[in-house]
Amino acid sequence: MQNSKDYKKVGVLIVGAGPAGLASAIKLKVEMPQLDVCVVEKGADLGNHNLSGAVLEAEPLHTLLDSAVPGWHDSDDAKDVLASKVEKDDVMFFTKKLSFNIFFAIKFARWLGLGFGQMTHKGDYSVSMSKLTKWMGRIAKDLGVEVLTGFAAEDIILDKSARMARAVKLVHQGLDKEANKQPNFIEGEIIGADFVVLAEGCDGLLTEKFIEKAGLERQAPQMYSVGVKELIKVSVEQYDKFTSERVVHAMGYPIWTPFIGPGMFGGGIIYAGQQEHLSVGMIVGADWKYFDFNPQDALVNFKNHKFVKQFIDGGTVVEAGAKMIPEGGYYAIPRDPQNGAIGKGNVLIVGDSAGFVNMLKIKGLHNGIDSGIQAARAIAETIKKPKETALRYTELIDGSNVAQEMWSARNFRQIVGKFGPLQGMPLSVLGALLPKFTIERDYEAMTSLRYRLKPKQEFDKDSFTAMAATQHREEQPSHLTILDSNICQTKCTPSFDTPCITFCPAGVYEMVHDEVKPANPSNCLHCKTCQRKCPFDNIRWTVPEGDGGPRYKRM
Ligand code: SF4
Ligand code: SF4
């Protein structure tokens, strides 16, 4: 380990170059141009690990760019990233054969002032998350932020009181599978920092380590959804029929059918991209109970539904990927039990790492950017008093739209998880009136029930993974660990038929000589589903060396 005098030291170290972290970096440079700000990102390039639907409520981004980039509206990046403004916003309900547009119900709920009414998207932008991230990264670099891609962080070093962070430790590079140093070995650098912003996205490794080390607590366990998405090039006729300014959200089949099941939380999406591309995806609550279910099964069924098929039949999948979404809402935000701070001392948690997704809107990108901005403001205001920064950040969040939204959606996801979509959706209207209640963790929900709508043909995970362009250096220690293979053999396989082999979207897990193993770690999409869905909490995901993982370009 290096002597502390040898540390590289920066003013602000941001872990994760997603929209929340980059919003922080940009705003910091606007507020304090002389401050040295560094962003470390495990993806090989900006945007490579960023995937979402995505619908962007643009106000926080506009506010940020107005303060940072004069004339940004006219830039080629702005014209490219914000090309698809949503004019047509459909909410559908599917049965196996039929489809009904139920957007009138959302409008009615809005008129009544009910939470559901938030689920409108007109005036938002249908964006590529990877492209948005790349654009924000370029702006940050132009302002003087040091953005280091291909550098994975594995630990946060706190002082003795565990109230302040001193540094962040990066992952070693150049170890072989047995963790022996190879000739190209580079020791993981320790980067000292006056302030640390944790912006790793959903279920960030460093964030979870920090929560544990610093004694932060969630009032309710975090809940997750798994999203699988394909970007499909369709014909001009299909694209024109769908229209370039439209987003569709679909509930019901194939993850929820009233009375006869299945009954899972989530739905399908079709979003217009550019140049005859449509984003088609399926988002499923990770509290699904079917042991043989894989969100890709639902994606296949969704794509085969008559309503969806008309727009994509004969199209070509050009990119694909998977990611989790934090859905636990207000009560799952990690806080300091002593003062409620979303962080501690000089460490702030932003974006999906904090869980700022508003499930009533099914959107969180705007909150991520907003929280990044608030983090920057808090640092600028407390630059000489870093012990107070997390608390100031929390005050700013509490006074912002982020907290308002999170509070309005409290309990929503838990109610639907507890009572199922049929009863839970109507009951969720009362969500804000109910006291906090928690439900079991996602991984505890698995049962011996089968998914009734399992497609006959096995999903082609190899092609899916190839479309994510994922790669890792083969000769490195596996970043996936099964803690106790005995549990697999004696408990899980007999009860649930080794579900990690089924639900991992990249086919990482396989039976090798009668023992389940993460046999193909280099296929991993970094979605972390296995860590949260293994029914015995028996898998640990650690960070592989930087540069690995998917290489999303337009997801
Ligand atoms: Fe089951 Fe988890 Fe073992 Fe896979 S790793 S077989 S999901 S216990
Ligand atoms: Fe996702 Fe785990 Fe599979 Fe990697 S191994 S793709 S993190 S489920």
Side-chain angles (χ1 to χ4, degrees):
M1 184 179 282
Q2 288 161 293
N3 185 290
S4 61
K5 283 193 288 236
D6 301 331
Y7 292 178
K8 173 178 176 153
K9 178 95 191 293
V10 296
V12 182
L13 180 62
I14 298 170
V15 183
L22 291 169
S24 244
I26 292 168
K27 186 67 179 169
L28 276 163
K29 278 292 179 184
V30 170
E31 299 275 323
M32 308 185 74
Q34 301 311 321
L35 189 67
D36 53 334
V37 180
C38 175
V39 183
V40 287
E41 161 60 38
K42 66 181 165 63
D45 196 4
L46 280 165
N48 278 181
H49 288 188
N50 299 92
L51 174 152
S52 180
V55 169
L56 169 69
E57 226 172 76
E59 199 183 324
L61 180 72
H62 286 180
T63 309
L64 175 71
L65 297 182
D66 285 346
S67 68
V69 190
W72 65 269
H73 289 97
D74 299 323
S75 70
D76 289 344
D77 278 324
K79 286 177 191 158
D80 181 32
V81 176
L82 302 178
S84 302
K85 192 163 187 174
V86 178
E87 294 296 337
K88 192 161 170 17
D89 182 8
D90 291 325
V91 177
M92 313 291 297
F93 182 80
F94 284 2
T95 66
K96 191 169 182 184
K97 303 247 183 267
L98 302 173
S99 55
F100 305 92
N101 198 328
I102 56 166
F103 190 62
F104 68 90
I106 305 293
K107 274 193 168 148
F108 188 54
R110 193 181 183 89
W111 183 72
L112 289 174
L114 300 176
F116 274 133
Q118 293 189 40
M119 211 175 96
T120 58
H121 308 283
K122 196 167 175 193
D124 297 345
Y125 293 87
S126 166
V127 299
S128 150
M129 184 79 136
S130 345
K131 278 190 179 182
L132 170 68
T133 304
K134 201 157 191 156
W135 176 31
M136 291 179 75
R138 275 199 287 264
I139 292 170
K141 282 183 187 174
D142 289 347
L143 290 169
V145 176
E146 191 179 7
V147 182
L148 305 173
T149 53
F151 288 88
E154 67 173 0
D155 205 0
I156 181 161
I157 300 165
L158 307 185
D159 67 8
K160 280 197 187 125
S161 71
R163 299 203 65 80
M164 299 284 284
R166 287 169 47 220
V168 162
K169 183 182 176 312
L170 304 184
V171 175
H172 295 321
Q173 306 214 13
L175 294 173
D176 69 13
K177 283 187 177 169
E178 281 74 43
N180 301 312
K181 293 178 187 175
Q182 294 185 306
N184 60 346
F185 174 78
I186 303 170
E187 179 144 348
E189 197 176 345
I190 293 175
I191 306 178
D194 294 326
F195 300 89
V196 176
V197 179
L198 296 173
E200 301 170 283
C202 181
D203 202 16
L205 181 103
L206 224 60
T207 309
E208 296 306 312
K209 270 192 181 173
F210 172 70
I211 288 170
E212 202 180 320
K213 283 184 175 186
L216 268 51
E217 291 174 3
R218 294 181 166 101
Q219 291 185 64
Q222 186 56 278
M223 302 178 74
Y224 302 93
S225 262
V226 183
V228 285
K229 171 178 155 179
E230 292 179 347
L231 186 67
I232 304 178
K233 170 100 171 149
V234 300
S235 69
V236 175
E237 293 74 29
Q238 286 168 317
Y239 188 71
D240 288 346
K241 191 174 176 187
F242 186 79
T243 74
S244 62
E245 296 152 342
R246 182 178 182 189
V247 294
V248 172
H249 294 88
M251 300 183 223
Y253 176 88
I255 59 167
W256 167 40
T257 53
F259 308 112
I260 51 171
M264 291 179 270
F265 180 85
I269 59 160
I270 318 172
Y271 293 172
Q274 294 167 47
Q275 296 166 340
E276 293 91 45
H277 287 84
L278 298 179
S279 292
V280 179
M282 180 54 67
I283 298 151
V284 186
D287 51 347
W288 74 73
K289 56 189 177 213
Y290 308 101
F291 75 92
D292 62 341
F293 178 74
N294 170 353
Q296 287 158 324
D297 296 335
L299 181 64
V300 170
N301 289 335
F302 182 66
K303 285 170 65 182
N304 281 329
H305 190 281
K306 198 171 145 204
F307 178 86
V308 182
K309 205 167 183 173
Q310 63 178 318
F311 301 118
I312 61 167
D313 201 22
T316 308
V317 176
V318 295
E319 267 193 71
K323 204 163 177 55
M324 285 205 308
I325 304 158
E327 295 192 341
Y330 183 85
Y331 294 116
I333 297 169
R335 291 178 186 268
D336 183 338
Q338 308 212 313
N339 57 17
I342 306 165
K344 198 169 226 176
N346 60 346
V347 184
L348 319 178
I349 309 176
V350 301
D352 277 8
S353 284
F356 291 143
V357 175
N358 176 354
M359 286 310 294
L360 283 172
K361 283 187 172 176
I362 42 172
K363 283 183 281 199
L365 187 45
H366 61 299
N367 283 342
I369 293 171
D370 202 350
S371 66
I373 295 170
Q374 306 307 338
R377 286 179 60 199
I379 291 170
E381 286 178 24
T382 60
I383 195 81
K384 298 232 156 61
K385 296 175 280 185
K387 286 185 180 160
E388 296 171 20
T389 310
L391 203 51
R392 180 62 190 136
Y393 165 60
T394 308
E395 285 167 5
L396 290 170
I397 287 287
D398 285 345
S400 75
N401 183 57
V402 179
Q404 246 179 42
E405 284 197 10
M406 296 306 293
W407 181 243
S408 74
R410 67 195 181 280
N411 281 334
F412 170 71
R413 180 64 182 83
Q414 284 80 2
I415 290 174
V416 182
K418 179 102 179 163
F419 297 102
L422 184 60
Q423 295 90 353
M425 288 288 195
L427 267 177
S428 70
V429 168
L430 305 171
L433 304 175
L434 298 177
K436 169 188 81 75
F437 68 91
T438 61
I439 63 171
E440 61 194 352
R441 289 175 189 272
D442 291 333
Y443 69 81
E444 293 168 324
M446 196 167 276
T447 66
S448 53
L449 288 172
R450 284 184 183 278
Y451 176 54
R452 183 174 77 71
L453 304 169
K454 192 91 182 158
K456 291 202 172 55
Q457 207 176 344
E458 203 157 306
F459 188 84
D460 182 357
K461 292 185 183 181
D462 288 341
S463 301
F464 189 85
T465 311
M467 285 298 137
T470 194
Q471 52 182 277
H472 294 81
R473 195 175 63 81
E474 294 280 348
E475 284 303 311
Q476 64 175 302
S478 173
H479 65 286
L480 293 148
T481 308
I482 294 178
L483 299 178
D484 184 350
S485 59
N486 210 25
I487 291 178
C488 308
Q489 276 174 356
T490 58
K491 293 186 176 169
C492 190
T493 302
S495 305
F496 304 126
D497 199 19
T498 325
C500 52
I501 295 178
T502 307
F503 65 64
C504 167
V508 167
Y509 295 89
E510 280 181 7
M511 237 2 147
V512 182
H513 305 306
D514 291 336
E515 194 179 325
V516 62
K517 291 205 179 271
N520 311 301
S522 54
N523 283 0
C524 180
L525 300 173
H526 295 204
C527 70
K528 325 252 182 79
T529 306
C530 51
Q531 173 161 268
R532 297 297 170 188
K533 195 56 193 169
C534 163
F536 293 93
D537 190 22
N538 196 22
I539 295 177
R540 290 295 173 270
W541 192 97
T542 50
V543 198
E545 63 181 35
D547 250 21
R551 280 158 165 70
Y552 303 135
K553 298 253 180 313
R554 291 172 288 177
M555 295 299 274

